Amino acid sequence: MLSVVNADGSTPNGFLIDEIVREGARRMLAAALEAEVNAYIAEVAEERDESGCRLVVRNGYHQRRRVTTAAGSVEVKAPRVNDKRVDEANGERRRFSSAILPPWCRKSPKVSEVLPLLYLHGLSSGDFVPALEQFLGSSAGLSPATVTRLTAQWQADHTAFQDRDLSATDYVYVWADGVHLRIRLEETKAAVLVLMGVRADGTKELIAMSDGYRESSEAWAGLLRDCARRGMRAPVLAVGDGALGFWNALSEVFPMTRHQRCWVHKTANCLDALPKSAQPAAKRAIQEIYNAEDKEHAARAVAAFAKQYGAKYPKVVRRITDDEDELLAFFDYPAEHWIHLRTTNPIESTFATVRLRTRVTKGAGSRAAALAMVFKLIESAQARWRAVNAPHLVALVRAGARFERGQLVERPEGRAA
């Protein structure tokens, strides 16, 4: 029910606009729960006992409870179901569980998602309640003890993620990058080492994430060895920047994996060594290489770049020509995948938001807690990642199919996918 409005537009529980939003959210949630229960009962309406009575019926309501949502704290009275059916598999009574509002739910996932952001911003668990109460209208479910339990759970989730079995998942392409964030890591030069991959069905997935000092070969080798120990197959192609630590580790752990250097990092590296007056033209010349129609045209564009800039800037030209094979490797795969394979953008774009939110964070803190917070942010973002273009071609790449000019020309028979 809405409250009496004072002259200044306020109510006993805040302001009218906030109360209207919360009341609308409460009514919509109640209607959705009613519709969910009605649909569940209607689906099994024909199932009856020996007396002809329905086996699934309404059974009043559960006790009221408050749920913290992005619209604020709302009071919910969820309908209850009496399901008398018995599960033949285990002999136990079946139970209705709402997909909208599970029995354990006291906060919407969106509220839980914002907590690691606040932590990375430097807020302590004791600051969460006053910070969020101003927006949510209630501190229900957001006590320091609750937040502390959540951070402990996030650390456990991250540990379980790092220990999970990888033998059942085939990562055909991988991106690797060391992301430097001003988060609560104990070493000032520590980086978050991130490995993302494309599964055989074309979907993207976070494979591993850990901290490593200076993106060293030892740190990357430790991460890759751990992945191999847990059953990860050698990827077909790995994409990364010019950091030697990753490539040395990759050659040691997965020697059969091909290398693809990131064109965004390479372009920035070349332009930084040129005077500003030469940078616009040089950038266009570099774009002509990786945007070429095929590998042959790209090789000619490399030669043209060397001819144009070789006399004045030989070191810049060598940054392209010395890595030409690894810069043009993506042309040997489906044309639909080129846009995904020539840069580490899948990692960069994911961490862009994290960087913005951690720029002001200072002070020491728990390494495990900080990594767990970053992991929860990426886990949330992962639900919004889209599959690569032409996902059906990823399995053919794993099978060893040959592509010329981006088109399939051969699919060997008798080889495992």
Side-chain angles (χ1 to χ4, degrees):
M1 296 293 293
L2 298 179
S3 303
V4 177
V5 183
N6 300 322
D8 61 355
S10 66
T11 70
N13 297 321
F15 286 88
L16 179 60
I17 186 172
D18 298 315
E19 194 161 341
I20 290 174
V21 170
R22 284 195 290 270
E23 177 64 14
R26 185 193 66 78
R27 294 181 181 181
M28 291 180 66
L29 179 56
L33 293 173
E34 290 284 349
E36 183 185 32
V37 166
N38 291 338
Y40 179 81
I41 294 175
E43 186 177 345
V44 294
E46 301 303 320
E47 298 190 31
R48 300 175 182 269
D49 60 17
E50 297 176 353
S51 304
C53 298
R54 291 184 178 183
L55 291 174
V56 182
V57 295
R58 289 285 297 268
N59 188 25
Y61 291 88
H62 291 283
Q63 290 186 350
R64 295 178 181 270
R65 55 174 156 147
R66 300 199 71 85
V67 179
T68 304
T69 72
S73 178
V74 297
E75 190 174 74
V76 178
K77 188 173 69 169
R80 191 163 54 187
V81 175
N82 182 11
D83 194 336
K84 300 177 183 178
R85 296 175 300 165
V86 176
D87 191 329
E88 296 180 357
N90 53 32
E92 297 180 356
R93 284 273 298 271
R94 296 187 182 183
R95 292 179 178 272
F96 167 75
S97 180
S98 172
I100 300 173
L101 187 68
W104 46 263
C105 183
R106 294 297 183 274
K107 292 182 296 296
S108 81
K110 279 294 181 183
V111 174
S112 295
E113 184 178 327
V114 81
L115 297 181
L117 299 182
L118 294 178
Y119 182 88
L120 291 174
H121 250 306
L123 268 68
S124 67
S125 59
D127 296 325
F128 281 25
V129 173
L132 288 177
E133 189 171 6
Q134 297 299 316
F135 295 97
L136 303 178
S138 170
S139 61
L142 293 172
S143 67
T146 299
V147 174
T148 300
R149 286 195 298 271
L150 278 175
T151 56
Q153 181 58 52
W154 291 333
Q155 291 181 53
D157 292 344
H158 180 227
T159 300
F161 172 81
Q162 292 292 84
D163 292 338
R164 76 194 192 286
D165 181 24
L166 297 176
S167 60
T169 307
D170 184 15
Y171 299 105
V172 181
Y173 302 130
V174 298
W175 297 278
D177 202 1
V179 184
H180 295 267
L181 302 169
R182 295 181 185 178
I183 61 174
R184 300 159 178 256
L185 294 178
E186 295 157 349
E187 296 286 351
T188 58
K189 295 187 180 297
V192 179
L193 306 183
V194 182
L195 197 65
M196 289 173 54
V198 176
R199 298 160 59 109
D201 62 0
T203 57
K204 299 172 187 173
E205 184 174 275
L206 179 66
I207 302 174
M209 189 193 78
S210 66
D211 60 330
Y213 186 71
R214 292 179 180 269
E215 299 185 58
S216 65
S217 297
E218 292 79 7
W220 274 114
L223 183 145
L224 293 176
R225 286 195 206 102
D226 181 64
C227 290
R229 175 187 61 79
R230 291 185 283 131
M232 178 177 168
R233 291 181 62 184
V236 174
L237 180 73
V239 187
D241 62 15
L244 294 178
F246 171 70
W247 299 115
N248 292 338
L250 183 70
S251 298
E252 174 191 337
V253 181
F254 296 124
M256 301 304 294
T257 299
R258 290 191 64 187
H259 299 185
Q260 168 63 48
R261 293 291 178 87
C262 171
W263 272 104
V264 170
H265 288 86
K266 179 61 73 173
T267 301
N269 185 256
C270 292
L271 295 182
D272 285 345
L274 291 171
K276 288 188 176 180
S277 59
Q279 288 181 7
K283 184 176 182 179
R284 288 192 295 270
I286 292 173
Q287 289 173 336
E288 287 291 328
I289 301 173
Y290 62 78
N291 285 328
E293 180 182 348
D294 53 42
K295 196 170 188 177
E296 290 74 17
H297 285 84
R300 286 199 286 269
V302 170
F305 180 82
K307 182 178 180 181
Q308 182 176 356
Y309 294 97
K312 287 187 177 181
Y313 312 108
K315 291 184 179 179
V316 173
V317 170
R318 284 199 294 272
R319 292 179 182 183
I320 297 289
T321 55
D322 288 354
D323 296 332
E324 182 174 351
D325 290 343
E326 294 179 343
L327 285 168
L328 304 185
F330 73 94
F331 282 109
D332 294 332
Y333 299 94
E336 295 88 344
H337 297 172
W338 291 355
I339 192 172
H340 304 288
L341 301 179
R342 60 193 180 203
T343 72
T344 55
N345 186 61
I347 292 179
E348 291 293 329
S349 59
T350 297
F351 273 86
T353 302
V354 181
R355 279 197 179 97
L356 288 174
R357 287 174 166 88
T358 59
R359 189 169 293 164
V360 299
T361 304
K362 299 180 184 297
S366 164
R367 161 188 166 274
L371 287 174
M373 299 303 134
V374 176
F375 166 69
K376 296 305 290 187
L377 291 174
I378 298 180
E379 185 182 54
S380 176
Q382 183 172 262
R384 298 184 289 272
W385 292 347
R386 68 179 185 86
V388 298
N389 299 333
H392 63 283
L393 296 177
V394 178
L396 296 182
V397 172
R398 169 59 80 186
R402 187 162 58 90
F403 293 82
E404 289 183 2
R405 301 178 185 272
Q407 303 299 315
L408 177 66
V409 296
E410 177 185 347
R411 183 175 181 181
E413 298 295 332
R415 297 181 64 174

